[in-house]
């Protein structure tokens, strides 16, 4: 079956057409600046060049129509008609407590996703627009919703409750939800497979280190804790997000800088993390590693602070699971950035594992970084959230 995977933001739409039998990506692309002047589409057929062009997209329905045009284009397309698309898988950011797994989309599911919008006001409404636009352009094609939060719904109350008056959880559902669930699930599953073990036998710490970053404790196949919280702001220091900090800072800064609470949170989301720590130099870890190598001390400190926080979470989650068998690195930084992994290496030795500098030079591939005989296996497992969404979608469609 050919599955179209859609990741819809407020002004963008990412897509991949995946053949579920071969698990190959047939084509992929990105629509940008939807509803804004200068909208454009970048499309790439497998093995072909990336082609970017301007395209009129006044709304997301226009964008979906353009995606279909590109996929069926005689030169750059990969299918001869829309009817070749057997299913659509949508990435949905927040499923609240309602969604503990992926589901086929119907009217009730749409309503429930809409009810979760209060928890993710920037993301869920955009995800819903993506679904409705696809339904308009592809009526009758089965569609699935795959949630970033679902994998973490197995967390126990002691991990998901904040130390706040319980009434706020009861009234507003304020709790830890966690994100990147599709990736934490995919990577922990794959890590076990690579080691020839059952995931249910293992205690795995997954470090998803991208622009957004989170760590999870996957104990015997279930997420029992993760570093992101009610929103993706909590936890690690990220590209532009602060991660954990004293909540009193929000009030303090609001007063000192004459900002509202939401303005301070905006600073924490967009101007903090390694970008903020490096004095605004860059949120890109390649730039920071280069600057640090050239002797830039603030870039060096930003990277050290980043790695230190990851190290602390690994230690915490080893305690949460009363031990750890596997530490897996994934996403842009986790898969590719040898400098950051080497910095993290200094905090994991006590667990009985190591990062071999030679193997650590390998980029973007499945590789075991620890030495033969180490008590804990440390490895790189590239994530593939789109493939995971396609698999979930096919499983649901075939079960109908
Ligand atoms: P997201 O999906 O959250 O936007 P990614 O998983 O794509 O983020 O990660 C982006 C980060 O990965 C960037 O900071 C970038 O520096 C880093 N990265 C990507 N490729 C490389 C590479 N080849 N070497 C070092 N760092 C890389």
């Amino acid at each position: 079956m050919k599955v179209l995977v859609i990741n819809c933001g407020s002004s963008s739409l990412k897509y991949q057409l995946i053949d579920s039998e071969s698990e190959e990506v047939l084509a992929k692309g990105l629509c940008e600046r939807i509803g804004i002047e200068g909208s454009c589409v970048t499309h790439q057929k497998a093995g072909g060049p990336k082609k970017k062009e301007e395209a009129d997209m006044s709304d997301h329905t226009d964008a979906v129509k353009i995606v279909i045009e590109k996929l069926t284009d005689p030169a750059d397309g990969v299918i001869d008609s829309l009817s070749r698309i057997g299913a659509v898988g949508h990435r949905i950011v927040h499923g609240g407590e309602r969604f503990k797994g992926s589901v086929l989309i119907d009217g009730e599911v749409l309503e429930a996703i809409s009810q979760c919008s209060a928890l993710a006001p920037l993301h869920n409404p955009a995800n819903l627009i993506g679904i409705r636009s696809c339904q308009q352009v592809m009526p009758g094609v089965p569609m699935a919703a795959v949630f970033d939060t679902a994998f973490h719904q197995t967390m126990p109350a002691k991990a998901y409750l904040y130390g706040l008056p319980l009434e706020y959880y009861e009234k507003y559902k304020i709790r830890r939800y966690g994100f990147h669930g599709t990736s934490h699930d995919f990577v922990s599953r794959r890590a076990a497979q690579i080691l020839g073990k059952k995931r249910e036998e293992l205690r795995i710490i997954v470090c998803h280190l991208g622009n957004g970053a989170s760590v999870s404790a996957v104990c015997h196949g279930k997420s029992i804790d993760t570093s992101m919280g009610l929103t993706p702001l909590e936890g690690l220091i990220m590209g532009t997000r602060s991660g954990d900090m004293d909540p009193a800072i929000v009030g303090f800064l609001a007063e000192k800088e004459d900002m509202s609470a939401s303005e301070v949170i905006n600073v924490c989301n967009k101007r903090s993390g390694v970008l903020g720590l490096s004095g605004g130099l860059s949120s890109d870890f390649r730039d920071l590693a280069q600057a640090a190598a050239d002797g830039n001390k603030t870039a060096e400190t930003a990277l050290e602070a980043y790695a230190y926080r990851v190290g602390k979470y690994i230690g915490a989650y080893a305690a949460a699971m009363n031990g750890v068998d596997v530490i897996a690195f994934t996403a842009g930084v986790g898969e590719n950035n040898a400098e950051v992994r080497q910095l993290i290496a200094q905090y994991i030795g006590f667990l009985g594992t190591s990062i071999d500098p030679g193997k650590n030079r390998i980029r973007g591939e499945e590789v075991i970084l620890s030495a033969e005989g180490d008590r804990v296996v440390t490895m790189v497992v590239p994530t593939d959230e789109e493939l995971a969404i396609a698999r979930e979608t096919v499983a649901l469609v075939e079960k109908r």
Side-chain angles (χ1 to χ4, degrees), residues 7 14 91 180 208-213 239 241 274 282-289 330-340 363-364 383 385:
N7 183 354
K14 277 193 219 156
R91 178 188 187 176
H180 296 138
H208 177 110
L209 311 179
N211 245 326
R241 297 188 194 124
V274 289
S282 179
S283 64
D284 192 299
F285 285 78
R286 280 167 290 204
D287 299 341
L288 294 170
T330 197
V333 179
E335 291 167 27
N336 298 298
N337 201 308
E339 294 85 355
V340 167
R363 285 178 190 274
T383 192
E385 287 163 290

Side-chain angles (χ1 to χ4, degrees), residues 218-299:
V218 182
C219 194
H220 305 135
K222 289 188 175 141
S223 171
I224 60 137
D225 206 348
T226 189
S227 59
M228 283 179 167
L230 174 73
T231 76
L233 182 55
E234 194 181 349
L236 299 178
I237 292 174
M238 308 182 208
T240 65
R241 297 188 194 124
S242 62
D244 297 338
M245 60 179 211
D246 183 341
I249 294 170
V250 177
F252 188 93
L253 265 184
E255 200 182 309
K256 292 282 181 206
E257 295 275 313
D258 195 19
M259 289 192 278
S260 66
S262 67
E263 283 168 336
V264 177
I265 295 297
N266 198 40
V267 171
C268 297
N269 266 310
K270 304 216 168 115
R271 289 176 41 210
S272 302
V274 289
L275 171 72
L277 273 171
S278 65
L281 183 69
S282 179
S283 64
D284 192 299
F285 285 78
R286 280 167 290 204
D287 299 341
L288 294 170
Q290 186 57 54
D294 294 342
N296 183 319
K297 286 285 170 220
T298 44

Side-chain angles (χ1 to χ4, degrees), residues 69-83:
E69 263 174 39
K70 290 287 162 203
L71 292 173
T72 53
D73 183 84
D76 295 322
V78 287
I79 47 174
D80 53 17
S81 98
L82 173 63
S83 64

Side-chain angles (χ1 to χ4, degrees), residues 58-380:
S58 60
D59 59 22
H60 288 75
T61 306
D62 283 348
V64 175
K65 283 183 188 156
I66 285 179
V67 170
I68 302 298
E69 263 174 39
K70 290 287 162 203
L71 292 173
T72 53
D73 183 84
D76 295 322
V78 287
I79 47 174
D80 53 17
S81 98
L82 173 63
S83 64
R84 301 277 177 214
I85 299 174
V88 182
H90 291 271
R91 178 188 187 176
I92 311 295
V93 167
H94 219 304
E97 289 186 329
R98 164 75 160 73
F99 295 103
K100 304 194 186 308
S102 310
V103 288
L104 283 174
I105 296 171
D106 59 16
E108 195 209 327
V109 167
L110 281 177
E111 179 53 35
I113 296 174
S114 166
Q115 278 167 13
C116 296
S117 288
L119 297 167
L122 297 179
H123 295 102
N124 272 32
N127 299 158
L128 276 170
I129 290 172
I131 298 174
R132 294 211 169 92
S133 301
C134 285
Q135 286 178 327
Q136 229 173 311
V137 179
M138 292 174 267
V141 177
M143 301 197 187
V146 181
F147 299 90
D148 261 23
T149 49
F151 182 60
H152 301 302
Q153 276 297 301
T154 45
M155 278 188 290
K158 66 181 176 188
Y160 72 65
L161 285 178
Y162 290 112
L164 287 168
L166 193 62
E167 63 183 281
Y168 298 135
Y169 168 62
E170 289 164 349
K171 267 203 273 189
Y172 309 119
K173 292 287 166 217
I174 291 179
R175 51 160 282 179
R176 173 181 314 286
Y177 289 95
F179 298 87
H180 296 138
T182 313
S183 178
H184 288 287
D185 184 17
F186 179 92
V187 169
S188 55
R189 211 180 277 273
R190 181 72 195 134
Q193 220 172 44
I194 294 168
L195 298 173
K197 301 228 165 101
K198 287 204 177 92
R199 185 168 67 162
E200 290 66 31
E201 295 168 2
L202 297 169
R203 294 161 297 179
I204 306 173
I205 296 176
V206 179
C207 305
H208 177 110
L209 311 179
N211 245 326
S214 64
V215 187
S216 69
V218 182
C219 194
H220 305 135
K222 289 188 175 141
S223 171
I224 60 137
D225 206 348
T226 189
S227 59
M228 283 179 167
L230 174 73
T231 76
L233 182 55
E234 194 181 349
L236 299 178
I237 292 174
M238 308 182 208
T240 65
R241 297 188 194 124
S242 62
D244 297 338
M245 60 179 211
D246 183 341
I249 294 170
V250 177
F252 188 93
L253 265 184
E255 200 182 309
K256 292 282 181 206
E257 295 275 313
D258 195 19
M259 289 192 278
S260 66
S262 67
E263 283 168 336
V264 177
I265 295 297
N266 198 40
V267 171
C268 297
N269 266 310
K270 304 216 168 115
R271 289 176 41 210
S272 302
V274 289
L275 171 72
L277 273 171
S278 65
L281 183 69
S282 179
S283 64
D284 192 299
F285 285 78
R286 280 167 290 204
D287 299 341
L288 294 170
Q290 186 57 54
D294 294 342
N296 183 319
K297 286 285 170 220
T298 44
E300 192 182 323
T301 307
L303 291 173
E304 277 172 358
Y306 179 87
Y308 177 64
R309 181 80 56 94
V310 177
K312 283 209 295 189
Y313 266 99
I314 292 173
Y317 288 168
M321 296 190 286
N322 207 5
V324 55
D325 304 301
V326 181
I327 300 170
F329 291 106
T330 197
V333 179
E335 291 167 27
N336 298 298
N337 201 308
E339 294 85 355
V340 167
R341 288 194 305 240
Q342 205 62 58
L343 285 171
I344 296 168
Q346 57 191 311
Y347 306 110
I348 59 177
F350 81 102
L351 292 167
T353 188
S354 56
I355 291 185
D356 177 286
K359 292 187 204 154
N360 195 34
R361 275 188 223 112
I362 300 170
R363 285 178 190 274
E365 279 177 38
E366 288 177 350
V367 55
I368 293 180
L369 301 169
S370 48
E372 188 96 25
D374 276 0
R375 211 163 51 238
V376 176
V377 177
T378 296
M379 61 202 297
V380 172

